[in-house]
């Protein structure tokens, strides 16, 4: 059990369980891409930075990795307003794009961002998310590579934060109500 501010969290996915899943996802992604036609890999910051760092080291194809700042969350609530830093985007014309997300919650972030990729000429767009909250999602989204479905509860660790805290934890912890 750990405490951040007034909230307590208990371990939900151990670091070892997460690392096994990262390897599994990496193997699935390696089957679908090659260095002849490599994807541009874009990780959505801040939350996905640790997952993306581990996942991209599983890739056996040569890829271009871009970190992209996207935000919609404040504290434990999605604000519904998605802000994307488009200035960091590489040229996607004719390219395959792989998006790395830490967690799909309401789906607002991906629902707002994915359609913009086609307008920029991306030839194909796939999404890899470590976590999905099926009971929270509000959009019809295809997650091509998914780590774990989790209950609709707030989680921290492995890149995920509560007001900037908890990102450095190796395991994922779920809030204790
Ligand atoms: P969505 O737009 O509602 O799908 O949420 C996407 C973003 O919200 C994620 O990339 C996270 O940064 C953040 N988020 C959603 N659920 C959680 C959570 O349980 N803990 C921490 N951050 C979360």
């Amino acid at each position: 059990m750990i405490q951040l501010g007034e909230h307590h969290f208990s371990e939900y996915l151990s670091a070892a369980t997460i690392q096994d899943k990262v390897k599994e996802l990496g193997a699935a992604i390696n089957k679908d891409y090659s260095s002849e036609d490599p994807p541009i890999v874009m990780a959505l910051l801040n939350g996905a930075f640790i997952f993306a760092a581990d996942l991209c080291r599983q890739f056996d194809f040569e890829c271009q990795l871009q970190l992209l700042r996207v935000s919609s969350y404040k504290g434990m609530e999605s604000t519904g307003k998605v802000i994307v830093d488009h200035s960091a985007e590489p040229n996607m014309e004719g390219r395959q794009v792989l998006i790395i997300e830490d967690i799909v919650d309401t789906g607002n972030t991906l629902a707002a961002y994915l359609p913009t990729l086609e307008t920029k000429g991306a030839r194909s767009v796939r999404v890899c998310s470590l976590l999905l909250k099926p009971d929270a999602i509000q959009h019809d989204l295809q997650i091509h590579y998914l780590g774990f479905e989790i209950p609709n509860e707030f989680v921290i660790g492995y890149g995920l934060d509560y007001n900037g805290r908890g990102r450095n934890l190796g395991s994922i912890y779920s809030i204790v109500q």
Side-chain angles (χ1 to χ4, degrees):
M1 190 86 88
I2 56 167
Q3 184 169 3
L4 289 185
E6 68 279 26
H7 297 291
H8 291 85
F9 297 85
S10 63
E11 191 179 66
Y12 178 69
L13 294 168
S14 72
T17 303
I18 296 168
Q19 292 306 326
D20 286 348
K21 186 60 79 173
V22 168
K23 289 198 183 94
E24 213 180 282
L25 290 169
I29 292 168
N30 283 335
K31 277 195 185 144
D32 292 345
Y33 294 102
S34 72
S35 295
E36 282 72 55
D37 185 14
I40 292 175
V41 178
M42 290 202 283
L44 305 190
L45 297 179
N46 292 327
F49 79 111
I50 289 182
F51 177 44
D54 284 346
L55 185 65
C56 75
R57 284 179 287 174
Q58 300 295 320
F59 296 163
D60 57 18
F61 50 85
E62 189 196 302
C63 70
Q64 191 181 337
L65 180 74
Q66 185 66 45
L67 307 175
L68 206 67
R69 209 177 157 77
V70 174
S71 61
S72 67
Y73 243 64
K74 215 172 175 208
M76 294 196 186
E77 301 283 333
S78 170
T79 62
K81 190 163 170 260
V82 179
I83 302 161
V84 180
D85 176 11
H86 292 284
S87 69
E89 285 173 337
N91 180 5
M92 289 175 248
E93 195 62 48
R95 297 292 304 273
Q96 306 194 85
V97 172
L98 175 66
I99 300 292
I100 302 181
E101 252 290 33
D102 48 353
I103 182 166
V104 179
D105 178 42
T106 62
N108 286 338
T109 305
L110 290 178
Y113 185 53
L114 295 180
T116 69
L117 298 172
E118 277 171 39
T119 67
K120 290 176 179 159
R123 193 174 95 236
S124 77
V125 179
R126 289 195 181 145
V127 177
C128 175
S129 182
L130 181 65
L131 305 173
L132 168 72
K133 292 180 186 168
D135 295 335
I137 195 156
Q138 294 169 15
H139 302 270
D140 185 17
L141 292 171
Q142 192 181 356
I143 311 298
H144 304 80
Y145 311 99
L146 176 65
F148 304 94
E149 290 194 351
I150 65 167
N152 191 8
E153 275 160 25
F154 193 76
V155 289
I156 56 158
Y158 198 65
L160 292 152
D161 75 308
Y162 169 52
N163 281 338
R165 299 170 67 185
R167 291 194 196 278
N168 58 313
L169 299 164
S171 302
I172 290 177
Y173 296 79
S174 181
I175 193 156
V176 177
Q177 302 291 351

